[in-house]
Amino acid sequence: MQTVIVRLVDNDGQLSTPYCTLSDHTLPVKDIICGLGAFPTCRVPIASLDHSVKTLLTSFCFPKPISSTVWDITERLFFAASLDGSIYQVNLFQQRTDKHARQTIETVRGAGASDIIRVSDEDNSS
């Protein structure tokens, strides 16, 4: 697959060194979407049949295999669709109250070295 993509974007037909290799998924990748901005600074969620959507810093684990994703126009959340038609809404920011009772907004991230966030069927918006 990697060779095919390189040949599609390389006009002279020579194989180029890839910018990056996607190797974190254990089952086939079904969808890759680029966010706003130029690559490589844009956000790129990658959906797989291994029940996950991975970004550079975080993995989101779903109860079902994920076949496609789409960004909200503000990129504050994305939607992930499973093969059976279930749709999950994943917020990338959360409101938090600090020790002085002030409301702040922070990014959602995993709770440790693995940076895995589990998304349940309760997060299913369909």
Side-chain angles (χ1 to χ4, degrees), residues 2-125:
Q2 177 181 349
T3 303
V4 173
I5 293 173
V6 170
R7 286 188 179 155
L8 286 173
V9 297
D10 190 6
N11 291 334
D12 64 9
Q14 299 294 320
L15 289 180
S16 301
T17 303
Y19 178 79
C20 59
T21 302
L22 308 174
S23 59
D24 290 341
H25 288 286
T26 58
L27 290 173
V29 168
K30 296 301 284 180
D31 197 16
I32 301 172
I33 58 171
C34 292
L36 299 174
F39 185 81
T41 59
C42 62
R43 294 183 188 170
V44 181
I46 303 163
S48 172
L49 293 180
D50 66 5
H51 296 231
S52 71
V53 172
K54 296 180 184 281
T55 64
L56 181 62
L57 300 175
T58 308
S59 294
F60 299 90
C61 186
F62 296 85
K64 299 174 182 174
I66 300 299
S67 60
S68 62
T69 56
V70 65
W71 278 117
D72 166 72
I73 194 167
T74 64
E75 288 190 15
R76 295 178 63 86
L77 56 99
F78 69 87
F79 297 93
S82 69
L83 293 171
D84 71 355
S86 298
I87 299 174
Y88 300 89
Q89 177 179 318
V90 180
N91 294 315
L92 299 177
F93 296 89
Q94 64 187 3
Q95 191 170 30
R96 184 177 175 107
T97 304
D98 67 12
K99 63 182 178 181
H100 302 291
R102 293 179 295 207
Q103 297 289 322
T104 60
I105 301 290
E106 65 181 20
T107 60
V108 171
R109 58 187 176 274
S114 60
D115 286 338
I116 296 174
I117 296 175
R118 302 212 180 274
V119 180
S120 70
D121 275 326
E122 295 166 2
D123 300 309
N124 184 337
S125 62

